[in-house]
Amino acid sequence: MNLISDPPETFQVAIITCRKQAIQAAHALAEQAKPGAVARDQQRLYPRELISQFTRLGLGSISVPRRFGGGGLDFQTVAEVFRIISASDPSLGQIPQNHFGLIQFILGEGEPSQQEKWLQAVVSGKRLGNGGPEKNTRHTRDIQARLVREGQTSRLSGEKFYSTGALFADILVTTALQEDDKPAMAFIPLPAEGVEIVDDWSGMGQRTTASGTVRLDRVIVGPDAIIPLPSSDKPTLRGAVSQLIQAAIDAGIAQGALDDALEFVRHHSRPWVDAGVARNADDPYILADIGRISTELSAANALLRRAARVLDSLASQPLTAENSAAASIAVAEAKVLTTDIALRASEKLLEWGGSRATLLQHGLDRHWRNARTHTLHDPVRWKTHAIGNYYLNAIYPARHAWI
């Protein structure tokens, strides 16, 4: 089914300026999201009203600096907001992930006039959606889409995939090569002639992120809507910020799986015949397993908070190759543990619950499907490689959105 994004919404948007407000808003949204999470997953029902509520509550602008009218909140708050929401519905958590990565990109690479224009749009309630990598290229950084100059504007043509959030966006943002073959980000207010958003995401997990195809046919892009990507030697936090949010989503998946596991073991599962206990919750092996998983989740959350603090510490410092690399490594360390615990907690949930935990009516399989799908976003083996190379050989990690 081919869909063009919905007409722009009109509503009052709150501005959140303190951590307490942001956390309260995240909990309120998570409470709304949880009851329908199983049905949305099983029926691929998009969380449109919940995404609108995310925006109305003011969560979409919490990382926009106050000089542009945003909340100016720190990365510790951003990570916690994503973790809380993703514990209820990680698809809902993933949809605005690129929105926040793009805010960081605008801050790092945009001209002052571009920063003012696009960040004030975010503060007013506009959502940034991702025109993702291209499916039939050598790797995720290989770009075939092109920007061709025509007078004062440019025309953009190409096809994108993994376009998380594009279906719910007010502004589509995607990469393309300029005529000098240098890559740039193009910002396209929606709806726009020549933009086709195709609802063809069929992943086994994260089913309602609408991470499908975007087709671009000679789309008009104004000169103030093109921001060149930084050169490979320029320090940037784009990757570290993006990965921090990915790690927070994985930590949320793990928390949601553990929460549902405890509920299911207490009230819906029966003990193994050889356990010699009246309740499955008294099985000594399950108790030990839950103790290990809880400890591992605490460790992952601690590294997530530490990584966010490292990013926050750079707010008042000049960005250098050294400190941007240190930030990426801190986030990579968190990502290693959040990946592992999301997968382990979601698998152990099914083991502890037994065969009845696999019944469709419970929807518990969604935790593992979501964890396995989302953690494939960037392979954790390359995180551990980057960490080892950094500490052993003092080699800084590559600079892109996946590290």
Side-chain angles (χ1 to χ4, degrees):
M1 177 169 58
N2 296 345
L3 298 173
I4 300 299
S5 61
D6 293 335
E9 299 173 85
T10 301
F11 46 70
Q12 187 67 35
V13 178
I15 303 297
I16 295 176
T17 57
C18 75
R19 176 182 171 84
K20 182 178 179 181
Q21 289 177 322
I23 300 305
Q24 287 176 339
H27 278 299
L29 186 64
E31 286 301 311
Q32 292 181 52
K34 191 166 186 177
V38 171
R40 287 193 300 274
D41 171 79
Q42 292 179 345
Q43 301 173 44
R44 290 190 186 269
L45 301 173
Y46 292 135
R48 293 183 183 276
E49 177 52 36
L50 292 165
I51 285 294
S52 294
Q53 184 72 349
F54 181 95
T55 303
R56 287 196 296 269
L57 287 169
L59 289 169
S61 63
I62 58 174
S63 69
V64 174
R66 294 190 182 183
R67 66 182 184 273
F68 298 110
L73 300 184
D74 57 21
F75 290 115
Q76 295 173 72
T77 302
V78 171
E80 184 64 4
V81 163
F82 274 87
R83 192 192 68 81
I84 291 167
I85 293 172
S86 297
S88 286
D89 185 345
S91 287
L92 177 61
Q94 189 181 350
I95 288 168
Q97 183 267 328
N98 287 299
H99 172 95
F100 280 80
L102 290 165
I103 288 171
Q104 185 62 36
F105 173 76
I106 295 166
L107 286 169
E109 308 305 327
E111 296 293 334
S113 61
Q114 293 174 314
Q115 293 175 350
E116 184 171 357
K117 175 177 180 176
W118 300 113
L119 294 178
Q120 287 186 353
V122 168
V123 171
S124 74
K126 302 299 184 185
R127 290 189 290 270
L128 305 175
N130 178 44
E134 298 174 21
K135 188 161 46 174
N136 298 314
T137 53
R138 295 173 299 159
H139 51 72
T140 54
R141 299 184 72 191
D142 187 10
I143 302 169
Q144 301 298 318
R146 285 277 176 178
L147 280 161
V148 178
R149 288 289 301 273
E150 286 192 4
Q152 296 300 310
T153 62
S154 297
R155 295 275 187 171
L156 172 57
S157 296
E159 184 171 302
K160 302 289 182 172
F161 194 62
Y162 304 110
S163 301
T164 304
L167 198 61
F168 315 108
D170 302 293
I171 302 167
L172 176 69
V173 188
T174 192
T175 52
L177 295 179
Q178 301 178 89
E179 290 181 322
D180 59 4
D181 285 337
K182 292 182 179 179
M185 285 281 196
F187 289 67
I188 307 166
L190 297 175
E193 186 175 351
V195 175
E196 181 185 24
I197 300 174
V198 185
D199 176 22
D200 61 349
W201 172 244
S202 61
M204 68 176 184
Q206 298 296 88
R207 289 179 168 180
T208 62
T209 59
S211 301
T213 299
V214 169
R215 298 192 181 114
L216 305 155
D217 183 16
R218 290 179 51 78
V219 179
I220 296 175
V221 182
D224 62 345
I226 298 174
I227 302 178
L229 269 71
S231 62
S232 60
D233 60 350
K234 180 181 178 181
T236 174
L237 293 181
R238 179 188 172 205
V241 170
S242 176
Q243 288 300 297
L244 179 76
I245 298 172
Q246 300 284 13
I249 293 169
D250 293 335
I253 293 173
Q255 187 67 62
L258 182 58
D259 290 346
D260 278 1
L262 299 180
E263 175 70 13
F264 197 85
V265 169
R266 288 188 193 112
H267 302 294
H268 302 291
S269 65
R270 60 185 180 182
W272 179 241
V273 63
D274 297 324
V277 295
R279 301 186 314 143
N280 202 26
D282 294 321
D283 182 316
Y285 295 107
I286 289 180
L287 290 173
D289 265 357
I290 289 175
R292 281 190 287 269
I293 292 296
S294 297
T295 301
E296 291 168 10
L297 179 54
S298 293
N301 286 333
L303 281 192
L304 181 67
R305 291 191 294 269
R306 187 194 71 168
R309 288 196 300 271
V310 170
L311 284 172
D312 288 331
S313 72
L314 300 182
S316 59
Q317 301 179 35
L319 199 58
T320 66
E322 290 77 13
N323 60 26
S324 63
S328 288
I329 292 300
V331 175
E333 290 172 333
K335 188 70 165 62
V336 169
L337 290 198
T338 59
T339 294
D340 185 60
I341 192 59
L343 292 168
R344 280 174 51 75
S346 58
E347 183 177 355
K348 280 292 184 179
L349 159 59
L350 299 174
E351 179 185 327
W352 299 334
S355 298
R356 68 179 61 188
T358 68
L359 296 178
L360 187 65
Q361 70 194 67
H362 302 302
L364 297 177
D365 60 305
R366 77 188 190 280
H367 294 293
W368 184 85
R369 289 186 289 99
N370 289 333
R372 183 66 283 177
T373 300
H374 187 259
T375 56
L376 294 175
H377 182 276
D378 32 31
V380 73
R381 64 185 181 274
W382 279 94
K383 302 294 184 191
T384 52
H385 169 272
I387 295 165
N389 212 15
Y390 176 79
Y391 286 120
L392 183 60
N393 298 318
I395 301 298
Y396 295 162
R399 292 196 182 103
H400 52 63
W402 297 277
I403 186 63

